[in-house]
Amino acid sequence: MVDHRLSEEHEALRQSVQDFARKDVAPVIADYYEREEFAYPLVRKMGEMGLFGLPVPEEHGGMGGDYFALCLALEELGRVDQSVAITLEAGVSLGIMPLLRFGSDEQKRTWLPKLATGEVLGAFGLTEPDGGSDAGATRTTAVLDGDEWVINGAKAFITNSGTDMTGFVTVTAVTGERPDGRKEISAILVPSGTPGFTVAKKYSKVGWNSSDTHALSFDDCRVPAANLVGERGRGYAQFLATLTEGRVAIAALGVGTAQGCVDECLRYLGEREAFGHKIGEYQAMQFKVAQMELRAHTARLAYYDAASRMVRGEPYKKQAAIAKLASSNAAMDNARDATQIFGGYGFMNETPVGRFYRDSKILEIGEGTSEVQLMLIARELGLPA
């Protein structure tokens, strides 16, 4: 029997995050967004709530929950604001999970307790200025010199990389050549403040204005050889696995935004009058919101399916790609329709739908573009690469 009802624990978590999003985030986030300022008080509050530690075992200072719990939290945050939601998503899926899955015992002892409580944020440097979706075209290099890695290169669009809370960035770098002539790519942890590691000025972005995003550069940056994360030469494969997990989390965030658009439109349809009637009485408006609810509901089922497969230890690469594609489409389409329903007010940044519209485009790009998701689905169906 298929049952999509949440367990008591998951439902209690969902309600707790929903309360936080509505009472703490919603009243203040527009101001942070307008100032393009990182919302430190809200991020610290998420740390106090244990949200960063949801999928982290108790032995490492976490909540001992599962990845689905993180997804539920992201959906509720995305329902109100994406900047805060992506800070949590990247902090966990890109900052914590690589160490949890592949890190050494010493790396876990040193970093996971601080990451799980939100005291410190971790980031992951994969994308490069000339790389984009071609992550295998990594140019950053790391040469072993005695007991140190010497790193040179650059990374682009790295979330959570330049905050006062950022403790490190794990970067992918070419560490040699494989027997078949291809690049050997490894992952190396670089603590913030390491000489030769420079964080550029923050980007001026279309959306996600209250999240932290920077370009990074490495100029003869030296870190201990022990900062290798996982196996040498397995950095690219490790991060592909990390991205697959992250797509499920991004899908949950996108579903939250798609549902948030429905929430805002239902409120507005009951308040706004035109030609002597509440605009919610017009069938054209009713059909538009019905379509929006359809998109949010079906995208939610897609990420529930992917997350449940992940938690059970079953293959889920195709389902993760489907969920990410469905949810990013739903968020973008719903944000567009919500902005249309709100008319001129929807074009104003102080309205949630205005922020949703600006924010949602990146969901079709980050952690694998929509085209990459289609490619992955096709390959999982057995079609040739």
Side-chain angles (χ1 to χ4, degrees):
M1 176 180 175
V2 176
D3 188 351
H4 294 292
R5 290 175 297 181
L6 301 180
S7 68
E8 290 184 9
E9 294 81 4
H10 281 145
E11 177 59 24
L13 168 69
R14 190 197 66 77
Q15 291 185 7
S16 175
V17 179
Q18 182 183 81
D19 288 344
F20 166 70
R22 292 179 176 177
K23 296 176 182 178
D24 292 72
V25 179
V28 302
I29 195 58
D31 190 39
Y32 282 107
Y33 198 94
E34 184 69 22
R35 300 197 311 267
E36 300 186 4
E37 182 178 328
F38 190 73
Y40 284 102
L42 298 177
V43 177
R44 293 192 178 98
K45 176 68 173 178
M46 289 194 293
E48 294 169 3
M49 293 172 65
L51 300 187
F52 286 96
L54 281 171
V56 179
E58 294 179 5
E59 64 187 275
H60 296 306
M63 301 293 286
D66 55 30
Y67 206 83
F68 183 53
L70 171 67
C71 291
L72 291 174
L74 290 169
E75 180 181 346
E76 291 303 325
L77 290 170
R79 202 164 174 170
V80 170
D81 176 71
Q82 286 191 32
S83 292
V84 173
I86 197 60
T87 299
L88 174 62
E89 192 279 333
V92 178
S93 70
L94 304 180
I96 292 177
M97 298 310 290
L99 289 189
L100 184 61
R101 300 294 193 213
F102 311 111
S104 67
D105 290 341
E106 180 60 28
Q107 289 166 352
K108 292 176 181 179
R109 282 193 298 268
T110 300
W111 292 106
L112 285 182
K114 292 182 284 189
L115 292 165
T117 57
E119 176 186 347
V120 166
L121 293 176
F124 203 105
L126 174 71
T127 304
E128 299 198 351
D130 298 322
S133 295
D134 187 7
T138 300
R139 294 184 179 180
T140 297
T141 61
V143 177
L144 199 55
D145 181 20
D147 60 354
E148 291 183 321
W149 291 105
V150 183
I151 306 171
N152 285 280
K155 300 293 179 178
F157 315 128
I158 310 304
T159 304
N160 291 349
S161 58
T163 75
D164 294 342
M165 304 167 68
T166 303
F168 66 86
V169 177
T170 303
V171 299
T172 51
V174 178
T175 53
E177 186 176 290
R178 295 159 56 101
D180 60 5
R182 291 184 297 166
K183 295 175 181 178
E184 175 192 86
I185 298 177
S186 305
I188 301 171
L189 187 151
V190 182
S192 299
T194 301
F197 172 25
T198 302
V199 179
K201 180 183 177 181
K202 69 179 182 180
Y203 290 105
S204 176
K205 297 175 293 188
V206 171
W208 284 4
N209 284 354
S210 189
S211 74
D212 178 81
T213 319
H214 298 265
L216 312 176
S217 63
F218 304 89
D219 184 11
D220 287 337
C221 176
R222 290 178 172 267
V223 298
N227 282 25
L228 179 72
V229 178
E231 298 179 37
R232 178 169 176 169
R234 293 286 297 169
Y236 185 56
Q238 290 169 189
F239 196 69
L240 288 180
T242 298
L243 277 179
T244 301
E245 287 186 339
R247 286 176 185 131
V248 183
I250 287 289
L253 189 161
V255 168
T257 295
Q259 194 65 59
C261 289
V262 175
D263 297 341
E264 291 299 317
C265 286
L266 289 175
R267 177 186 60 77
Y268 190 70
L269 292 178
E271 297 174 353
R272 174 72 165 161
E273 290 191 4
F275 305 105
H277 296 274
K278 292 285 195 304
I279 62 173
E281 296 177 23
Y282 295 107
Q283 194 174 65
M285 295 291 100
Q286 294 175 0
F287 281 7
K288 193 176 288 288
V289 176
Q291 287 284 1
M292 292 166 65
E293 177 69 9
L294 170 65
R295 296 180 193 125
H297 180 74
T298 53
R300 181 180 295 108
L301 293 178
Y303 101 70
Y304 271 30
D305 178 43
S308 64
R309 288 170 183 268
M310 181 201 306
V311 171
R312 293 195 302 267
E314 299 174 359
Y316 68 99
K317 181 187 287 188
K318 180 179 72 174
Q319 288 76 15
I322 290 171
K324 203 270 185 181
L325 183 60
S327 70
S328 57
N329 286 344
M332 192 70 245
D333 290 344
N334 279 14
R336 184 185 301 109
D337 282 351
T339 301
Q340 191 70 20
I341 287 173
F342 270 69
Y345 292 107
F347 200 62
M348 301 296 109
N349 280 331
E350 65 260 24
T351 63
V353 298
R355 297 197 305 275
F356 290 161
Y357 187 65
R358 292 176 62 178
D359 290 343
S360 293
K361 181 57 193 174
I362 191 61
L363 297 178
E364 298 180 316
I365 299 171
E367 295 208 32
T369 64
S370 295
E371 292 77 13
V372 166
Q373 306 315 310
L374 290 168
M375 177 187 70
L376 291 171
I377 295 167
R379 288 181 180 177
E380 289 297 302
L381 290 173
L383 295 171

